[in-house]
Amino acid sequence: MRMTSNCYPCILDRAKFECDLVFAKEEEKKKAVEELLDYMACHKGGVPALVGTQRERIIKRRSSNPDPYQSLKDESNRVAANLLPLAQEFYEGAEDGIEALVRIAAAANSMEFGVKGHDFDNSTFAGVFSSTLCEKLYGDMAEIKRRLEGFSNIFYLTDNSGEVVFDLFVIARLEEMGKRVVIGSKSQPVLNDVTVSELKSMTKTEVVATGDVVGTALESLEPQASSFLFDPGWLILSKGMGNFETITEYEDRLAGRLIYIMRAKCEAVAAEVGVPKGTLVAKPV
């Protein structure tokens, strides 16, 4: 997926959000945003997630803060842990367990900060989580079930902290079904994404590093993650918009064993998928 007119202001809006997190002085914020503007002027039409990656690197370097979202990530994990019983109750009461798991994974992708037009706050998510689980879901559930039945191995690409608490619930259910699951997560902090080191303290499921950029881009892909991604015996469950923005660049190589799961939180991604902004998505490719 390539930059659209909506991507430029969205990337800048998130830069302002992050600058407010890490800088105390207006001049520091201005210089960081101006550096990003210079980069964007020279890199028109790229992949939004990779332009966003450069934003992250600029702000982390200028602030000397390796993880600007750390406190928000910790808070998100606490919020999600408190909501996990609702997800479990939803799953156990569902007539269709597979659809329930997909809904839990998609609804959890709501846990995202700084996206233009997407309102999320840790303090209010508890009040809307149950209704989010029941929202309209865009996707071919019959095909998703067919793929889940047909593959014994699943490579599960994570996205955000907080959200990952629900992902681990979904993964545990998949393992109970006899699936072998390997989790792919960031090698180091980027945005509010969960990292390999953070996940290893949360689960006994095997975790491998995908890279240090927003999404899962070929040019930064770690060798071990690449071996799972391109092995035809593995089904790929790809969480979130960053993974969608990057993987769509090479998804033809994964056709027949790729499922995108997310909330389409921005206009550009929603248009690319062909759904209204804010829709829960489970799209097999």
Side-chain angles (χ1 to χ4, degrees), residues 13 19 22 45 76 85 92 96-98 106 109 115-116 148 168 194 197-198 206 242 252 269 271:
D13 267 17
C19 284
V22 297
S76 294
E92 291 175 349
D96 187 331
I98 294 296
N109 190 238
V115 176
K116 186 178 177 66
L148 284 171
L168 292 177
V194 66
S197 61
E198 291 165 345
E206 182 179 358
D252 56 317
V269 168

Side-chain angles (χ1 to χ4, degrees), residues 6-7 9-15 17-18 55 69 109-120 159-160 191-192 241-242 245 263-269 277-278:
N6 282 320
C7 295
C10 183
I11 288 170
L12 289 170
D13 267 17
R14 191 155 193 169
F17 174 83
E18 293 176 7
R55 175 196 58 218
Y69 284 85
N109 190 238
S110 303
M111 303 188 81
E112 181 74 85
F113 301 96
V115 176
K116 186 178 177 66
H118 173 66
D119 292 327
F120 173 76
D159 191 15
N160 305 316
L191 294 176
N192 58 319
M241 297 197 305
E245 291 169 15
R263 180 185 283 281
K265 296 180 285 284
C266 75
E267 293 283 359
V269 168
K277 185 172 80 72

Side-chain angles (χ1 to χ4, degrees), residues 8-258:
Y8 294 97
C10 183
I11 288 170
L12 289 170
D13 267 17
R14 191 155 193 169
K16 179 60 167 66
F17 174 83
E18 293 176 7
C19 284
D20 288 343
L21 288 178
V22 297
F23 295 119
K25 297 180 180 179
E26 174 60 27
E27 186 65 18
E28 295 172 318
K29 299 177 186 180
K30 183 167 74 87
K31 287 181 178 179
V33 173
E34 287 174 346
E35 183 178 345
L36 174 59
L37 279 168
D38 289 341
Y39 177 87
M40 291 171 69
C42 297
H43 295 81
K44 299 170 186 174
V47 175
L50 299 184
V51 178
T53 296
Q54 187 63 24
R55 175 196 58 218
E56 301 308 300
R57 290 173 176 169
I58 289 169
I59 291 173
K60 287 196 289 185
R61 171 173 46 79
R62 284 184 167 276
S63 67
S64 298
N65 185 335
D67 193 358
Y69 284 85
Q70 184 62 65
S71 63
L72 288 172
K73 289 161 62 177
D74 292 342
E75 184 182 352
S76 294
N77 284 337
R78 290 192 295 271
V79 168
N82 289 333
L83 292 175
L84 193 56
L86 289 178
Q88 184 165 352
E89 181 181 357
F90 178 77
Y91 172 69
E92 291 175 349
E95 294 183 7
D96 187 331
I98 294 296
E99 181 175 337
L101 291 177
V102 171
R103 285 182 168 279
I104 290 167
N109 190 238
S110 303
M111 303 188 81
E112 181 74 85
F113 301 96
V115 176
K116 186 178 177 66
H118 173 66
D119 292 327
F120 173 76
D121 191 293
N122 279 324
S123 64
T124 59
F125 189 53
V128 299
F129 180 63
S130 291
S131 60
T132 302
L133 289 169
C134 299
E135 287 182 16
K136 182 176 181 179
L137 175 68
Y138 172 88
D140 185 346
M141 282 306 307
E143 175 61 16
I144 290 170
K145 290 174 188 176
R146 189 190 69 77
R147 293 188 187 185
L148 284 171
E149 290 170 359
F151 284 86
S152 299
N153 303 312
I154 298 173
F155 190 34
Y156 197 109
L157 299 174
T158 61
D159 191 15
N160 305 316
S161 296
E163 170 183 0
V164 77
V165 172
F166 300 104
D167 290 327
L168 292 177
F169 173 83
V170 172
I171 288 166
R173 305 293 81 75
L174 293 172
E175 289 174 330
E176 289 171 0
M177 297 173 192
K179 308 296 183 183
R180 179 192 173 192
V181 182
V182 172
I183 305 172
S185 296
K186 298 297 179 289
S187 56
Q188 60 181 277
V190 59
L191 294 176
N192 58 319
D193 291 2
V194 66
T195 65
V196 168
S197 61
E198 291 165 345
L199 255 181
K200 284 184 174 179
S201 68
M202 300 170 71
T203 182
K204 294 181 180 179
T205 299
E206 182 179 358
V207 185
V208 301
T210 54
D212 63 351
V213 303
V214 179
T216 304
L218 285 183
E219 52 265 48
S220 65
L221 193 61
E222 298 281 353
Q224 193 174 12
S226 182
S227 69
F228 290 116
L229 197 65
F230 295 108
D231 186 327
W234 287 76
L235 177 67
I236 301 151
L237 298 185
S238 170
K239 292 294 302 291
M241 297 197 305
N243 281 327
F244 177 81
E245 291 169 15
T246 48
I247 293 175
T248 46
E249 292 292 294
Y250 57 90
E251 67 180 16
D252 56 317
R253 299 173 60 180
L254 311 175
R257 56 186 188 88
L258 169 64

